[in-house]
Amino acid sequence: MSGWTVLLHLLLDLLRIVVTLLPAMTANTFAPFLGGGPPVDMGLTRRDGRRFLGDGKTWRGLLGGSICASILGFVLLILLHFLGLSSMENGLWGKFPVSLLIIPSLAFGSLFGDMLGSFVKRALGRPRGAKTPLLDQWDYVIGAFIFILPFYPWWYDSFISGGSWIALLLFLFVAWAAHQVANRIGYAIGVKKEPW
Ligand code: CTP
Ligand code: MG
C-alpha cells in the first residue's frame, strides 16, 4: 500500500469513529440549551461542605441531552442505512436491535462522564465553571467508554478491533478540539457561561 492509501484508510477509520461516537460527542452540546431547574445532586453537600456535583449538572440537562443525542443517533442509523453506508442490521452500533440500546448508552454515558468530572472537580474544591484542563475536555469520552464497557463488551470489541489504534488516538485529539470549538460557540451565543 502506498503512503496515500494508508493515510486515506486512517482518515476513513477516524471518520467511522467520529460518526459512531457522535451520540456521545453531542450530548454535552445539547445540555446547555436544555439545562436548568433542580440539580442532579439535589443541592446536597459532602461532609466538608462542598457540593457533590454543583448547580451546573441538572436533571433537565442530563435527560434532555441524553434524549436529543439519542435521537440524533437514531436518525444517523436510519440515514446511513438508506444511503447504503452502514447497514441497520449490523452496522456502526452493532446488531439491531442492540444498537437501539448502544446509542442511548453512548449519549447517557457521555453525560455520566461529565458528572464524574464535576464530582472530581467539586472534591478538589473547584467551584462550578472553574477551568479544569483535561477533565473538561475528556470526561465525556471517558464516561461514554466506561459506561458502554460493562454492558456491551462484544460491541466494544468490534468497535476497537474493526480499526486502527492510531485512529483511536487521533480521535482523542478530535474530541478535544470539538470540545474547544463547541464551547467557544456556546459562549459566543450566550448558552454557556464560560468558553471552556
Ligand atoms: N448542563 C446541565 N446538566 C448537565 C450538564 C450540563 O444542565 N447534566 C448545563 C448547565 O447549564 C451547565 C452547562 O450545561 O452550566 C455547561 O455545562 P458544563 O460546562 O459541563 O458545566 P459547568 O457549569 O461548567 O459546571 P462544572 O464546573 O461542574 O463542569
Ligand atoms: Mg464547565
Side-chain angles (χ1 to χ4, degrees):
M1 271 199 283
S2 77
W4 288 112
T5 326
V6 173
L7 186 65
L8 184 67
H9 274 209
L10 191 64
L11 289 178
L12 283 175
D13 199 33
L14 180 61
L15 186 65
R16 172 189 71 94
I17 295 171
V18 170
V19 173
T20 310
L21 296 182
L22 268 183
M25 294 176 73
T26 52
N28 284 282
T29 315
F30 286 119
F33 289 96
L34 307 159
V40 176
D41 68 5
M42 296 296 182
L44 295 177
T45 52
R46 302 147 43 100
R47 256 183 264 166
D48 57 12
R50 293 168 184 168
R51 286 284 292 276
F52 281 102
L53 302 175
D55 287 329
K57 306 296 123 151
T58 67
W59 285 106
R60 267 184 18 212
L62 176 64
L63 298 177
S66 299
I67 292 171
C68 288
S70 301
I71 292 174
L72 179 91
F74 297 146
V75 170
L76 277 173
L77 180 74
I78 297 169
L79 201 69
L80 292 174
H81 178 80
F82 284 108
L83 290 176
L85 292 170
S86 170
S87 106
M88 184 114 73
E89 290 75 35
N90 192 8
L92 290 182
W93 297 278
K95 291 201 169 82
F96 191 85
V98 180
S99 50
L100 297 185
L101 289 173
I102 294 200
I103 289 171
S105 296
L106 284 171
F108 183 82
S110 146
L111 286 163
F112 176 80
D114 177 53
M115 290 195 297
L116 275 184
S118 293
F119 179 79
V120 172
K121 288 186 257 183
R122 299 304 89 84
L124 293 172
R126 289 167 170 266
R128 171 191 180 179
K131 189 177 188 175
T132 313
L134 303 185
L135 265 187
D136 278 337
Q137 292 88 22
W138 278 320
D139 54 7
Y140 74 99
V141 182
I142 296 166
F145 274 83
I146 292 178
F147 204 79
I148 208 120
L149 184 60
F151 296 109
Y152 316 108
W154 63 91
W155 177 77
Y156 195 75
D157 194 42
S158 76
F159 174 73
I160 303 281
S161 64
S164 78
W165 283 98
I166 301 173
L168 266 181
L169 286 179
L170 280 178
F171 170 74
L172 290 182
F173 174 74
V174 171
W176 174 85
H179 183 274
Q180 304 286 352
V181 172
N183 281 352
R184 278 190 177 80
I185 295 174
Y187 179 71
I189 63 174
V191 295
K192 271 213 62 152
K193 289 200 180 76
E194 306 86 18
W196 49 79

